[in-house]
Amino acid sequence: PHMARRVAQYLVSSPPCFEGATAAAAAAYQRDGAVCIRGALRGWVDAVASGIARNLASPGPHFESLPLGATSARFVNDYCNWRRIPEYESFVRESPAKALARAVMASERSIFYHEHVLVKEPLAASPTPWHHDQPYYPIDGDQLLSLWFPVDPVPLDATLLFVRGSHRHGYYAPRKFETQRNYDGSDELPTMPAIADAPHEHELLGWQLQPGDCVLFSGKTLHGAVGNASESRSRRVLTTRWMGDDARFAPRRWEISPPYTGGLQAGDPMECGLFPRLL
C-alpha cells in the first residue's frame, strides 16, 4: 500500500477519458500511447467473468502463478486459450473490442493476435513489473495494441500505470517477470529503466476503472502496476491484443512469447490463419 500511494502521487491529474472510440480518443492514444474508454464493454462483463472462471478451472499450457513471498495469494496469468474458452471467443468475435482497436490505431483492419488473462487475488503483493509488450512478440510496426478490460472495479492504487509518450522511445530488452532478468539474446537492446524507483522522473497515466471500462495502449508503451492491496476483491482482467495494417512479422534473436509464428516469414503481414482479420 505504501508503494501504491507513492506511485499514485505522481499520476497526471485527471487524464483524459472518452465515451467511445472518437477522433479525440484516437488522437489521445496516438499522443500518449494509452487511452481510457468508459462503458463501451459494459454488456460483456458477465460473459468475460464466466470465461475467466472457466479458464482458471481448466488452465492452458501457458498458465503461470508468480511467486508472492509471504502471502498465499496469487498473481496468475494464462494466454492463447480463446479458441477453447467460448466466452473469450464470443468476446473477440462479437464485442466492440475489435472496432475500438481499429479506430484508435487508425487502421483499416483489426487483426487478432491473442488474449491474456491476468488475475491478482486479494492481498496478492506481486507487482506487475515495468515493461512493454512488443519486444516479447515477433512483430514490428506501430499498429499493435492491448485492450485491458477489467471485470472488477479497479481503484487508482491497483490500476495499470503508463509512462506517457513512451511508445516513441524505441524498444527495451524483454525480461522474465519471475526472475527480472533480461531474455538471453536481447543484449542489443537497452535494459528497462527502473521506473518504480524514480516515478517522479516520468509522467504517469492511470485510471480508476469500473467494469465495462477499458484501457487501450500501444505495444510500445511502458507500463506496470503495484500489487492488489484489497482484502476482499480480486483484480480480474482480460487483455486482448490487436494488430493493424502496418504490423509485420519480425524474427527475434531471443525467445518469443507467445511462442507462435503462424508460419510467417520476415516482413510478412501478420494476417494469417492463426492471426485472423476480424474487421
Side-chain angles (χ1 to χ4, degrees), residues 1 56 68 75 94 132 141 149 187 189 202 217 233 260 262 269:
L56 296 180
L68 297 173
F75 175 23
E94 301 167 20
H132 53 179
F149 174 35
D187 298 350
L189 298 176
H202 307 275
F217 60 95
R233 180 180 289 150
Y260 305 117

Side-chain angles (χ1 to χ4, degrees), residues 1 73-74 119-127 155 157-158 226-236:
R74 302 180 301 164
V119 178
K120 287 187 177 178
E121 295 179 339
L123 296 179
S126 182
D157 63 5
V226 296
N228 180 12
S230 172
E231 296 182 358
S232 59
R233 180 180 289 150
S234 290
R235 197 206 70 182
R236 298 170 295 167

Side-chain angles (χ1 to χ4, degrees), residues 109 111 138-140 243-250 261-273 275:
R109 70 200 75 194
I111 301 162
I139 304 168
D140 281 344
M243 303 174 288
D245 306 328
D246 78 347
R248 295 292 183 271
F249 186 77
T261 66
L264 299 174
Q265 303 297 313
D268 284 349
M270 290 300 297
E271 181 182 342
C272 65
F275 311 129

Side-chain angles (χ1 to χ4, degrees), residues 49-61:
S50 295
I52 292 173
R54 187 190 302 270
N55 193 162
L56 296 180
S58 177

Side-chain angles (χ1 to χ4, degrees), residues 85-115:
I85 305 287
E87 296 90 347
Y88 290 177
E89 184 161 16
S90 294
F91 177 79
V92 166
R93 295 190 181 278
E94 301 167 20
S95 82
K98 58 185 181 291
L100 296 175
R102 181 176 71 169
V104 302
M105 286 190 295
S107 174
E108 291 187 4
R109 70 200 75 194
S110 199
I111 301 162
F112 187 63
Y113 185 30
H114 71 280
E115 98 298 331

Side-chain angles (χ1 to χ4, degrees), residues 81 94 116 118 131 175 211 217 237 261 279:
N81 295 297
E94 301 167 20
H116 193 169
L118 303 130
H131 68 289
R175 40 186 18 192
F217 60 95
V237 175
T261 66
L279 195 63

